[in-house]
PDB file of all heavy atoms in Angstrom:
ATOM      1  N   TYR A   1       0.891  -1.194  -0.024  1.00 89.00           N
ATOM      2  CA  TYR A   1       0.011   0.005  -0.015  1.00 89.00           C
ATOM      3  C   TYR A   1       0.899   1.226  -0.006  1.00 89.00           C
ATOM      4  O   TYR A   1       1.864   1.233   0.731  1.00 89.00           O
ATOM      5  CB  TYR A   1      -0.970   0.030   1.203  1.00 89.00           C
ATOM      6  CG  TYR A   1      -2.083  -0.961   1.151  1.00 89.00           C
ATOM      7  CD1 TYR A   1      -1.859  -2.227   1.580  1.00 89.00           C
ATOM      8  CD2 TYR A   1      -3.343  -0.452   0.642  1.00 89.00           C
ATOM      9  CE1 TYR A   1      -2.877  -3.174   1.531  1.00 89.00           C
ATOM     10  CE2 TYR A   1      -4.373  -1.406   0.604  1.00 89.00           C
ATOM     11  CZ  TYR A   1      -4.217  -2.742   1.031  1.00 89.00           C
ATOM     12  OH  TYR A   1      -5.232  -3.624   0.931  1.00 89.00           O
ATOM     13  N   ILE A   2       0.553   2.220  -0.781  1.00 90.00           N
ATOM     14  CA  ILE A   2       1.286   3.468  -0.844  1.00 90.00           C
ATOM     15  C   ILE A   2       0.329   4.657  -0.930  1.00 90.00           C
ATOM     16  O   ILE A   2      -0.860   4.481  -1.436  1.00 90.00           O
ATOM     17  CB  ILE A   2       2.279   3.522  -2.012  1.00 90.00           C
ATOM     18  CG1 ILE A   2       1.498   3.397  -3.371  1.00 90.00           C
ATOM     19  CG2 ILE A   2       3.340   2.423  -1.851  1.00 90.00           C
ATOM     20  CD1 ILE A   2       2.344   3.626  -4.576  1.00 90.00           C
ATOM     21  N   LEU A   3       0.788   5.773  -0.518  1.00 92.00           N
ATOM     22  CA  LEU A   3      -0.063   7.004  -0.565  1.00 92.00           C
ATOM     23  C   LEU A   3       0.240   7.694  -1.957  1.00 92.00           C
ATOM     24  O   LEU A   3       1.423   8.148  -2.056  1.00 92.00           O
ATOM     25  CB  LEU A   3       0.224   7.902   0.601  1.00 92.00           C
ATOM     26  CG  LEU A   3      -0.503   9.261   0.569  1.00 92.00           C
ATOM     27  CD1 LEU A   3      -2.059   9.073   0.602  1.00 92.00           C
ATOM     28  CD2 LEU A   3      -0.191  10.142   1.686  1.00 92.00           C
ATOM     29  N   ILE A   4      -0.654   7.751  -2.828  1.00 92.00           N
ATOM     30  CA  ILE A   4      -0.493   8.466  -4.053  1.00 92.00           C
ATOM     31  C   ILE A   4      -0.918   9.918  -3.940  1.00 92.00           C
ATOM     32  O   ILE A   4      -2.136  10.159  -3.728  1.00 92.00           O
ATOM     33  CB  ILE A   4      -1.294   7.698  -5.173  1.00 92.00           C
ATOM     34  CG1 ILE A   4      -0.753   6.369  -5.415  1.00 92.00           C
ATOM     35  CG2 ILE A   4      -1.217   8.543  -6.476  1.00 92.00           C
ATOM     36  CD1 ILE A   4      -1.489   5.535  -6.411  1.00 92.00           C
ATOM     37  N   ARG A   5       0.064  10.757  -3.873  1.00 90.00           N
ATOM     38  CA  ARG A   5      -0.234  12.211  -3.642  1.00 90.00           C
ATOM     39  C   ARG A   5      -0.709  12.876  -4.995  1.00 90.00           C
ATOM     40  O   ARG A   5      -1.475  13.823  -4.956  1.00 90.00           O
ATOM     41  CB  ARG A   5       0.992  12.903  -3.132  1.00 90.00           C
ATOM     42  CG  ARG A   5       0.891  14.351  -2.766  1.00 90.00           C
ATOM     43  CD  ARG A   5      -0.217  14.623  -1.850  1.00 90.00           C
ATOM     44  NE  ARG A   5       0.061  14.036  -0.516  1.00 90.00           N
ATOM     45  CZ  ARG A   5      -0.800  14.176   0.553  1.00 90.00           C
ATOM     46  NH1 ARG A   5      -1.976  14.696   0.372  1.00 90.00           N
ATOM     47  NH2 ARG A   5      -0.407  13.611   1.694  1.00 90.00           N
ATOM     48  N   ASP A   6      -0.305  12.369  -6.181  1.00 89.00           N
ATOM     49  CA  ASP A   6      -0.521  12.998  -7.416  1.00 89.00           C
ATOM     50  C   ASP A   6      -0.571  11.974  -8.492  1.00 89.00           C
ATOM     51  O   ASP A   6       0.182  10.954  -8.423  1.00 89.00           O
ATOM     52  CB  ASP A   6       0.429  14.144  -7.636  1.00 89.00           C
ATOM     53  CG  ASP A   6      -0.056  15.052  -8.839  1.00 89.00           C
ATOM     54  OD1 ASP A   6      -1.299  15.023  -9.176  1.00 89.00           O
ATOM     55  OD2 ASP A   6       0.719  15.897  -9.301  1.00 89.00           O
ATOM     56  N   VAL A   7      -1.161  12.213  -9.524  1.00 89.00           N
ATOM     57  CA  VAL A   7      -1.176  11.260 -10.794  1.00 89.00           C
ATOM     58  C   VAL A   7      -0.796  12.247 -11.985  1.00 89.00           C
ATOM     59  O   VAL A   7      -1.301  13.342 -12.209  1.00 89.00           O
ATOM     60  CB  VAL A   7      -2.582  10.704 -11.047  1.00 89.00           C
ATOM     61  CG1 VAL A   7      -2.469   9.872 -12.388  1.00 89.00           C
ATOM     62  CG2 VAL A   7      -3.016   9.809  -9.891  1.00 89.00           C
ATOM     63  N   LYS A   8       0.245  11.785 -12.709  1.00 89.00           N
ATOM     64  CA  LYS A   8       0.729  12.500 -13.988  1.00 89.00           C
ATOM     65  C   LYS A   8       0.550  11.498 -15.086  1.00 89.00           C
ATOM     66  O   LYS A   8       0.927  10.373 -15.021  1.00 89.00           O
ATOM     67  CB  LYS A   8       2.170  12.938 -13.687  1.00 89.00           C
ATOM     68  CG  LYS A   8       2.774  13.586 -14.950  1.00 89.00           C
ATOM     69  CD  LYS A   8       4.207  13.963 -14.646  1.00 89.00           C
ATOM     70  CE  LYS A   8       4.818  14.565 -15.905  1.00 89.00           C
ATOM     71  NZ  LYS A   8       6.248  14.847 -15.717  1.00 89.00           N
ATOM     72  N   VAL A   9       0.034  12.119 -16.263  1.00 90.00           N
ATOM     73  CA  VAL A   9      -0.066  11.263 -17.453  1.00 90.00           C
ATOM     74  C   VAL A   9       0.630  11.806 -18.536  1.00 90.00           C
ATOM     75  O   VAL A   9       0.602  13.013 -18.855  1.00 90.00           O
ATOM     76  CB  VAL A   9      -1.620  11.101 -17.826  1.00 90.00           C
ATOM     77  CG1 VAL A   9      -1.739  10.303 -19.096  1.00 90.00           C
ATOM     78  CG2 VAL A   9      -2.462  10.539 -16.668  1.00 90.00           C
ATOM     79  N   ASN A  10       1.485  11.050 -19.216  1.00 90.00           N
ATOM     80  CA  ASN A  10       2.256  11.390 -20.439  1.00 90.00           C
ATOM     81  C   ASN A  10       1.698  10.646 -21.647  1.00 90.00           C
ATOM     82  O   ASN A  10       1.378   9.446 -21.532  1.00 90.00           O
ATOM     83  CB  ASN A  10       3.670  11.066 -20.228  1.00 90.00           C
ATOM     84  CG  ASN A  10       4.345  11.720 -19.006  1.00 90.00           C
ATOM     85  OD1 ASN A  10       4.037  12.817 -18.737  1.00 90.00           O
ATOM     86  ND2 ASN A  10       5.080  10.965 -18.286  1.00 90.00           N
ATOM     87  N   GLY A  11       1.591  11.306 -22.686  1.00 89.00           N
ATOM     88  CA  GLY A  11       1.334  10.664 -23.976  1.00 89.00           C
ATOM     89  C   GLY A  11      -0.168  10.626 -24.415  1.00 89.00           C
ATOM     90  O   GLY A  11      -0.439  10.172 -25.555  1.00 89.00           O
ATOM     91  N   ALA A  12      -0.980  11.170 -23.556  1.00 87.00           N
ATOM     92  CA  ALA A  12      -2.403  11.163 -23.902  1.00 87.00           C
ATOM     93  C   ALA A  12      -2.755  12.419 -24.785  1.00 87.00           C
ATOM     94  O   ALA A  12      -2.636  13.499 -24.385  1.00 87.00           O
ATOM     95  CB  ALA A  12      -3.279  11.145 -22.696  1.00 87.00           C
ATOM     96  N   GLU A  13      -3.358  12.210 -25.957  1.00 84.00           N
ATOM     97  CA  GLU A  13      -3.809  13.218 -26.760  1.00 84.00           C
ATOM     98  C   GLU A  13      -5.242  13.139 -27.158  1.00 84.00           C
ATOM     99  O   GLU A  13      -5.920  14.099 -27.052  1.00 84.00           O
ATOM    100  CB  GLU A  13      -2.951  13.172 -28.103  1.00 84.00           C
ATOM    101  CG  GLU A  13      -1.448  13.507 -27.884  1.00 84.00           C
ATOM    102  CD  GLU A  13      -0.692  13.431 -29.151  1.00 84.00           C
ATOM    103  OE1 GLU A  13      -1.308  13.257 -30.257  1.00 84.00           O
ATOM    104  OE2 GLU A  13       0.524  13.610 -29.143  1.00 84.00           O
ATOM    105  N   GLN A  14      -5.688  11.905 -27.417  1.00 82.00           N
ATOM    106  CA  GLN A  14      -7.043  11.682 -27.843  1.00 82.00           C
ATOM    107  C   GLN A  14      -7.986  11.390 -26.701  1.00 82.00           C
ATOM    108  O   GLN A  14      -9.245  11.361 -26.874  1.00 82.00           O
ATOM    109  CB  GLN A  14      -7.177  10.507 -28.822  1.00 82.00           C
ATOM    110  CG  GLN A  14      -6.401  10.762 -30.139  1.00 82.00           C
ATOM    111  CD  GLN A  14      -6.932  11.875 -30.951  1.00 82.00           C
ATOM    112  OE1 GLN A  14      -8.183  12.097 -31.002  1.00 82.00           O
ATOM    113  NE2 GLN A  14      -6.108  12.648 -31.608  1.00 82.00           N
ATOM    114  N   TYR A  15      -7.481  11.195 -25.535  1.00 83.00           N
ATOM    115  CA  TYR A  15      -8.292  10.815 -24.374  1.00 83.00           C
ATOM    116  C   TYR A  15      -7.912  11.692 -23.200  1.00 83.00           C
ATOM    117  O   TYR A  15      -6.804  11.965 -22.821  1.00 83.00           O
ATOM    118  CB  TYR A  15      -7.990   9.295 -23.928  1.00 83.00           C
ATOM    119  CG  TYR A  15      -8.313   8.349 -25.021  1.00 83.00           C
ATOM    120  CD1 TYR A  15      -7.348   7.998 -26.082  1.00 83.00           C
ATOM    121  CD2 TYR A  15      -9.598   7.854 -25.187  1.00 83.00           C
ATOM    122  CE1 TYR A  15      -7.661   7.152 -27.111  1.00 83.00           C
ATOM    123  CE2 TYR A  15      -9.950   6.989 -26.285  1.00 83.00           C
ATOM    124  CZ  TYR A  15      -8.896   6.689 -27.158  1.00 83.00           C
ATOM    125  OH  TYR A  15      -9.239   5.792 -28.192  1.00 83.00           O
ATOM    126  N   ASN A  16      -8.962  12.330 -22.679  1.00 79.00           N
ATOM    127  CA  ASN A  16      -8.848  13.340 -21.670  1.00 79.00           C
ATOM    128  C   ASN A  16      -8.619  12.718 -20.309  1.00 79.00           C
ATOM    129  O   ASN A  16      -8.802  11.579 -19.999  1.00 79.00           O
ATOM    130  CB  ASN A  16      -9.998  14.327 -21.630  1.00 79.00           C
ATOM    131  CG  ASN A  16     -11.292  13.655 -21.355  1.00 79.00           C
ATOM    132  OD1 ASN A  16     -11.500  12.679 -20.648  1.00 79.00           O
ATOM    133  ND2 ASN A  16     -12.363  14.221 -21.999  1.00 79.00           N
ATOM    134  N   LEU A  17      -8.288  13.611 -19.281  1.00 78.00           N
ATOM    135  CA  LEU A  17      -7.959  13.179 -17.926  1.00 78.00           C
ATOM    136  C   LEU A  17      -9.111  12.498 -17.258  1.00 78.00           C
ATOM    137  O   LEU A  17      -9.030  11.544 -16.511  1.00 78.00           O
ATOM    138  CB  LEU A  17      -7.503  14.296 -17.082  1.00 78.00           C
ATOM    139  CG  LEU A  17      -6.905  13.979 -15.724  1.00 78.00           C
ATOM    140  CD1 LEU A  17      -5.661  12.994 -15.849  1.00 78.00           C
ATOM    141  CD2 LEU A  17      -6.381  15.257 -14.977  1.00 78.00           C
ATOM    142  N   ASN A  18     -10.360  12.961 -17.541  1.00 78.00           N
ATOM    143  CA  ASN A  18     -11.548  12.310 -16.903  1.00 78.00           C
ATOM    144  C   ASN A  18     -11.673  10.916 -17.356  1.00 78.00           C
ATOM    145  O   ASN A  18     -11.969  10.036 -16.516  1.00 78.00           O
ATOM    146  CB  ASN A  18     -12.820  13.083 -17.283  1.00 78.00           C
ATOM    147  CG  ASN A  18     -13.002  14.368 -16.508  1.00 78.00           C
ATOM    148  OD1 ASN A  18     -12.624  14.446 -15.352  1.00 78.00           O
ATOM    149  ND2 ASN A  18     -13.661  15.378 -17.098  1.00 78.00           N
ATOM    150  N   TYR A  19     -11.413  10.682 -18.623  1.00 81.00           N
ATOM    151  CA  TYR A  19     -11.556   9.231 -19.130  1.00 81.00           C
ATOM    152  C   TYR A  19     -10.422   8.453 -18.445  1.00 81.00           C
ATOM    153  O   TYR A  19     -10.663   7.257 -18.022  1.00 81.00           O
ATOM    154  CB  TYR A  19     -11.262   9.235 -20.600  1.00 81.00           C
ATOM    155  CG  TYR A  19     -11.256   7.910 -21.175  1.00 81.00           C
ATOM    156  CD1 TYR A  19     -12.430   7.181 -21.520  1.00 81.00           C
ATOM    157  CD2 TYR A  19      -9.998   7.381 -21.465  1.00 81.00           C
ATOM    158  CE1 TYR A  19     -12.318   5.851 -22.053  1.00 81.00           C
ATOM    159  CE2 TYR A  19      -9.849   6.034 -22.005  1.00 81.00           C
ATOM    160  CZ  TYR A  19     -11.088   5.315 -22.344  1.00 81.00           C
ATOM    161  OH  TYR A  19     -10.963   4.050 -22.802  1.00 81.00           O
ATOM    162  N   LEU A  20      -9.170   8.892 -18.420  1.00 84.00           N
ATOM    163  CA  LEU A  20      -8.095   8.114 -17.870  1.00 84.00           C
ATOM    164  C   LEU A  20      -8.229   7.793 -16.429  1.00 84.00           C
ATOM    165  O   LEU A  20      -8.023   6.698 -15.861  1.00 84.00           O
ATOM    166  CB  LEU A  20      -6.778   8.937 -18.123  1.00 84.00           C
ATOM    167  CG  LEU A  20      -6.326   8.987 -19.543  1.00 84.00           C
ATOM    168  CD1 LEU A  20      -5.304  10.112 -19.787  1.00 84.00           C
ATOM    169  CD2 LEU A  20      -5.814   7.654 -20.065  1.00 84.00           C
ATOM    170  N   GLU A  21      -8.689   8.829 -15.619  1.00 80.00           N
ATOM    171  CA  GLU A  21      -8.882   8.622 -14.187  1.00 80.00           C
ATOM    172  C   GLU A  21     -10.106   7.737 -13.901  1.00 80.00           C
ATOM    173  O   GLU A  21     -10.122   6.944 -12.965  1.00 80.00           O
ATOM    174  CB  GLU A  21      -9.067   9.960 -13.538  1.00 80.00           C
ATOM    175  CG  GLU A  21      -7.770  10.833 -13.273  1.00 80.00           C
ATOM    176  CD  GLU A  21      -7.955  12.054 -12.528  1.00 80.00           C
ATOM    177  OE1 GLU A  21      -9.149  12.494 -12.413  1.00 80.00           O
ATOM    178  OE2 GLU A  21      -6.987  12.570 -12.048  1.00 80.00           O
ATOM    179  N   GLY A  22     -11.092   7.887 -14.847  1.00 80.00           N
ATOM    180  CA  GLY A  22     -12.272   6.993 -14.720  1.00 80.00           C
ATOM    181  C   GLY A  22     -11.855   5.539 -14.845  1.00 80.00           C
ATOM    182  O   GLY A  22     -12.431   4.607 -14.147  1.00 80.00           O
ATOM    183  N   LYS A  23     -10.981   5.227 -15.794  1.00 82.00           N
ATOM    184  CA  LYS A  23     -10.589   3.802 -15.980  1.00 82.00           C
ATOM    185  C   LYS A  23      -9.629   3.388 -14.827  1.00 82.00           C
ATOM    186  O   LYS A  23      -9.693   2.292 -14.298  1.00 82.00           O
ATOM    187  CB  LYS A  23      -9.757   3.685 -17.315  1.00 82.00           C
ATOM    188  CG  LYS A  23     -10.641   3.885 -18.495  1.00 82.00           C
ATOM    189  CD  LYS A  23     -11.673   2.770 -18.642  1.00 82.00           C
ATOM    190  CE  LYS A  23     -12.494   2.955 -19.873  1.00 82.00           C
ATOM    191  NZ  LYS A  23     -13.700   2.108 -19.782  1.00 82.00           N
ATOM    192  N   LEU A  24      -8.724   4.339 -14.476  1.00 84.00           N
ATOM    193  CA  LEU A  24      -7.712   3.983 -13.459  1.00 84.00           C
ATOM    194  C   LEU A  24      -8.341   3.804 -11.992  1.00 84.00           C
ATOM    195  O   LEU A  24      -7.900   3.035 -11.190  1.00 84.00           O
ATOM    196  CB  LEU A  24      -6.725   5.106 -13.335  1.00 84.00           C
ATOM    197  CG  LEU A  24      -5.430   4.835 -12.537  1.00 84.00           C
ATOM    198  CD1 LEU A  24      -4.616   3.685 -13.154  1.00 84.00           C
ATOM    199  CD2 LEU A  24      -4.553   6.173 -12.595  1.00 84.00           C
ATOM    200  N   LYS A  25      -9.465   4.506 -11.813  1.00 83.00           N
ATOM    201  CA  LYS A  25     -10.205   4.472 -10.494  1.00 83.00           C
ATOM    202  C   LYS A  25      -9.302   4.892  -9.314  1.00 83.00           C
ATOM    203  O   LYS A  25      -9.480   4.420  -8.199  1.00 83.00           O
ATOM    204  CB  LYS A  25     -10.711   3.121 -10.277  1.00 83.00           C
ATOM    205  CG  LYS A  25     -11.648   2.592 -11.412  1.00 83.00           C
ATOM    206  CD  LYS A  25     -12.873   3.388 -11.569  1.00 83.00           C
ATOM    207  CE  LYS A  25     -13.730   2.799 -12.680  1.00 83.00           C
ATOM    208  NZ  LYS A  25     -14.789   3.640 -13.143  1.00 83.00           N
ATOM    209  N   ILE A  26      -8.401   5.816  -9.524  1.00 84.00           N
ATOM    210  CA  ILE A  26      -7.609   6.351  -8.495  1.00 84.00           C
ATOM    211  C   ILE A  26      -7.592   7.937  -8.626  1.00 84.00           C
ATOM    212  O   ILE A  26      -7.333   8.519  -9.549  1.00 84.00           O
ATOM    213  CB  ILE A  26      -6.099   5.960  -8.581  1.00 84.00           C
ATOM    214  CG1 ILE A  26      -6.056   4.412  -8.342  1.00 84.00           C
ATOM    215  CG2 ILE A  26      -5.247   6.690  -7.645  1.00 84.00           C
ATOM    216  CD1 ILE A  26      -4.586   3.881  -8.461  1.00 84.00           C
ATOM    217  N   LYS A  27      -8.141   8.516  -7.515  1.00 80.00           N
ATOM    218  CA  LYS A  27      -8.231   9.920  -7.400  1.00 80.00           C
ATOM    219  C   LYS A  27      -7.322  10.379  -6.267  1.00 80.00           C
ATOM    220  O   LYS A  27      -7.546  10.082  -5.070  1.00 80.00           O
ATOM    221  CB  LYS A  27      -9.741  10.389  -7.015  1.00 80.00           C
ATOM    222  CG  LYS A  27     -10.549  10.572  -8.226  1.00 80.00           C
ATOM    223  CD  LYS A  27     -10.400  11.944  -8.827  1.00 80.00           C
ATOM    224  CE  LYS A  27     -11.489  12.295  -9.820  1.00 80.00           C
ATOM    225  NZ  LYS A  27     -11.221  13.681 -10.377  1.00 80.00           N
ATOM    226  N   SER A  28      -6.255  11.126  -6.619  1.00 81.00           N
ATOM    227  CA  SER A  28      -5.268  11.587  -5.676  1.00 81.00           C
ATOM    228  C   SER A  28      -5.820  12.679  -4.826  1.00 81.00           C
ATOM    229  O   SER A  28      -6.629  13.455  -5.361  1.00 81.00           O
ATOM    230  CB  SER A  28      -4.018  11.972  -6.338  1.00 81.00           C
ATOM    231  OG  SER A  28      -4.259  13.009  -7.266  1.00 81.00           O
ATOM    232  N   PRO A  29      -5.438  12.797  -3.544  1.00 87.00           N
ATOM    233  CA  PRO A  29      -4.606  11.801  -2.810  1.00 87.00           C
ATOM    234  C   PRO A  29      -5.412  10.570  -2.451  1.00 87.00           C
ATOM    235  O   PRO A  29      -6.484  10.692  -2.027  1.00 87.00           O
ATOM    236  CB  PRO A  29      -4.146  12.619  -1.572  1.00 87.00           C
ATOM    237  CG  PRO A  29      -5.216  13.644  -1.393  1.00 87.00           C
ATOM    238  CD  PRO A  29      -5.726  13.973  -2.749  1.00 87.00           C
ATOM    239  N   GLN A  30      -4.744   9.425  -2.544  1.00 88.00           N
ATOM    240  CA  GLN A  30      -5.421   8.218  -2.160  1.00 88.00           C
ATOM    241  C   GLN A  30      -4.518   7.130  -1.763  1.00 88.00           C
ATOM    242  O   GLN A  30      -3.439   6.953  -2.373  1.00 88.00           O
ATOM    243  CB  GLN A  30      -6.222   7.684  -3.419  1.00 88.00           C
ATOM    244  CG  GLN A  30      -6.949   6.332  -3.194  1.00 88.00           C
ATOM    245  CD  GLN A  30      -7.770   5.856  -4.341  1.00 88.00           C
ATOM    246  OE1 GLN A  30      -8.203   6.745  -5.169  1.00 88.00           O
ATOM    247  NE2 GLN A  30      -7.903   4.535  -4.541  1.00 88.00           N
ATOM    248  N   LEU A  31      -4.790   6.425  -0.641  1.00 90.00           N
ATOM    249  CA  LEU A  31      -4.065   5.292  -0.274  1.00 90.00           C
ATOM    250  C   LEU A  31      -4.473   4.057  -1.104  1.00 90.00           C
ATOM    251  O   LEU A  31      -5.613   3.659  -1.035  1.00 90.00           O
ATOM    252  CB  LEU A  31      -4.214   4.992   1.229  1.00 90.00           C
ATOM    253  CG  LEU A  31      -3.389   3.805   1.803  1.00 90.00           C
ATOM    254  CD1 LEU A  31      -1.961   4.163   1.781  1.00 90.00           C
ATOM    255  CD2 LEU A  31      -3.856   3.508   3.277  1.00 90.00           C
ATOM    256  N   ALA A  32      -3.567   3.630  -1.882  1.00 89.00           N
ATOM    257  CA  ALA A  32      -3.878   2.525  -2.879  1.00 89.00           C
ATOM    258  C   ALA A  32      -3.059   1.426  -2.697  1.00 89.00           C
ATOM    259  O   ALA A  32      -1.763   1.496  -2.405  1.00 89.00           O
ATOM    260  CB  ALA A  32      -3.848   3.119  -4.318  1.00 89.00           C
ATOM    261  N   SER A  33      -3.504   0.173  -2.919  1.00 90.00           N
ATOM    262  CA  SER A  33      -2.626  -0.998  -2.984  1.00 90.00           C
ATOM    263  C   SER A  33      -2.147  -1.174  -4.444  1.00 90.00           C
ATOM    264  O   SER A  33      -2.732  -0.619  -5.410  1.00 90.00           O
ATOM    265  CB  SER A  33      -3.465  -2.258  -2.585  1.00 90.00           C
ATOM    266  OG  SER A  33      -4.462  -2.480  -3.662  1.00 90.00           O
ATOM    267  N   PHE A  34      -1.114  -1.907  -4.594  1.00 90.00           N
ATOM    268  CA  PHE A  34      -0.525  -2.185  -5.868  1.00 90.00           C
ATOM    269  C   PHE A  34      -1.480  -3.060  -6.712  1.00 90.00           C
ATOM    270  O   PHE A  34      -1.568  -2.941  -7.943  1.00 90.00           O
ATOM    271  CB  PHE A  34       0.842  -2.966  -5.753  1.00 90.00           C
ATOM    272  CG  PHE A  34       2.005  -2.088  -5.497  1.00 90.00           C
ATOM    273  CD1 PHE A  34       2.367  -1.776  -4.277  1.00 90.00           C
ATOM    274  CD2 PHE A  34       2.634  -1.418  -6.662  1.00 90.00           C
ATOM    275  CE1 PHE A  34       3.433  -0.890  -4.081  1.00 90.00           C
ATOM    276  CE2 PHE A  34       3.686  -0.577  -6.440  1.00 90.00           C
ATOM    277  CZ  PHE A  34       4.063  -0.317  -5.103  1.00 90.00           C
ATOM    278  N   LYS A  35      -2.351  -3.808  -6.015  1.00 87.00           N
ATOM    279  CA  LYS A  35      -3.449  -4.567  -6.760  1.00 87.00           C
ATOM    280  C   LYS A  35      -4.410  -3.582  -7.397  1.00 87.00           C
ATOM    281  O   LYS A  35      -4.815  -3.771  -8.558  1.00 87.00           O
ATOM    282  CB  LYS A  35      -4.154  -5.503  -5.764  1.00 87.00           C
ATOM    283  CG  LYS A  35      -5.146  -6.351  -6.433  1.00 87.00           C
ATOM    284  CD  LYS A  35      -5.766  -7.312  -5.417  1.00 87.00           C
ATOM    285  CE  LYS A  35      -6.838  -8.165  -6.051  1.00 87.00           C
ATOM    286  NZ  LYS A  35      -7.440  -9.198  -5.073  1.00 87.00           N
ATOM    287  N   GLU A  36      -4.662  -2.464  -6.644  1.00 88.00           N
ATOM    288  CA  GLU A  36      -5.614  -1.508  -7.243  1.00 88.00           C
ATOM    289  C   GLU A  36      -4.946  -0.791  -8.410  1.00 88.00           C
ATOM    290  O   GLU A  36      -5.604  -0.509  -9.434  1.00 88.00           O
ATOM    291  CB  GLU A  36      -6.012  -0.476  -6.218  1.00 88.00           C
ATOM    292  CG  GLU A  36      -7.024  -1.099  -5.091  1.00 88.00           C
ATOM    293  CD  GLU A  36      -7.205  -0.082  -4.004  1.00 88.00           C
ATOM    294  OE1 GLU A  36      -6.317   0.494  -3.449  1.00 88.00           O
ATOM    295  OE2 GLU A  36      -8.409   0.163  -3.739  1.00 88.00           O
ATOM    296  N   ILE A  37      -3.640  -0.501  -8.272  1.00 90.00           N
ATOM    297  CA  ILE A  37      -2.960   0.205  -9.291  1.00 90.00           C
ATOM    298  C   ILE A  37      -2.899  -0.692 -10.594  1.00 90.00           C
ATOM    299  O   ILE A  37      -3.226  -0.310 -11.656  1.00 90.00           O
ATOM    300  CB  ILE A  37      -1.502   0.591  -8.913  1.00 90.00           C
ATOM    301  CG1 ILE A  37      -1.591   1.624  -7.753  1.00 90.00           C
ATOM    302  CG2 ILE A  37      -0.747   1.143 -10.075  1.00 90.00           C
ATOM    303  CD1 ILE A  37      -0.223   1.906  -7.154  1.00 90.00           C
ATOM    304  N   GLN A  38      -2.563  -1.943 -10.349  1.00 88.00           N
ATOM    305  CA  GLN A  38      -2.469  -2.890 -11.448  1.00 88.00           C
ATOM    306  C   GLN A  38      -3.865  -3.107 -12.136  1.00 88.00           C
ATOM    307  O   GLN A  38      -3.897  -3.229 -13.344  1.00 88.00           O
ATOM    308  CB  GLN A  38      -1.915  -4.242 -11.013  1.00 88.00           C
ATOM    309  CG  GLN A  38      -1.514  -5.156 -12.147  1.00 88.00           C
ATOM    310  CD  GLN A  38      -0.513  -4.565 -12.934  1.00 88.00           C
ATOM    311  OE1 GLN A  38       0.644  -4.276 -12.505  1.00 88.00           O
ATOM    312  NE2 GLN A  38      -0.802  -4.349 -14.185  1.00 88.00           N
ATOM    313  N   SER A  39      -4.945  -3.129 -11.364  1.00 86.00           N
ATOM    314  CA  SER A  39      -6.251  -3.322 -11.858  1.00 86.00           C
ATOM    315  C   SER A  39      -6.544  -2.069 -12.829  1.00 86.00           C
ATOM    316  O   SER A  39      -7.214  -2.278 -13.861  1.00 86.00           O
ATOM    317  CB  SER A  39      -7.280  -3.435 -10.819  1.00 86.00           C
ATOM    318  OG  SER A  39      -7.100  -4.672 -10.115  1.00 86.00           O
TER     319      SER A  39
END
């Protein structure tokens, strides 16, 4: 488990941050497991 203070995305042009965060299901700051990150 780690505390994710921020999320940075590189390389996204056709897909906005809402879409990426919606798939990732991680809203910083959040205590997340590596299993959640991998999912």
Side-chain angles (χ1 to χ4, degrees):
Y1 286 86
I2 58 170
L3 177 61
I4 297 176
R5 181 59 65 183
D6 195 14
V7 177
K8 178 183 177 183
V9 180
N10 304 316
E13 296 179 3
Q14 297 295 322
Y15 298 91
N16 58 35
L17 189 59
N18 279 330
Y19 173 82
L20 293 164
E21 288 186 340
K23 293 294 180 195
L24 193 62
K25 305 298 182 189
I26 293 177
K27 271 279 192 182
S28 57
Q30 178 178 330
L31 183 65
S33 68
F34 277 92
K35 184 177 181 180
E36 289 174 309
I37 295 172
Q38 193 59 63
S39 294

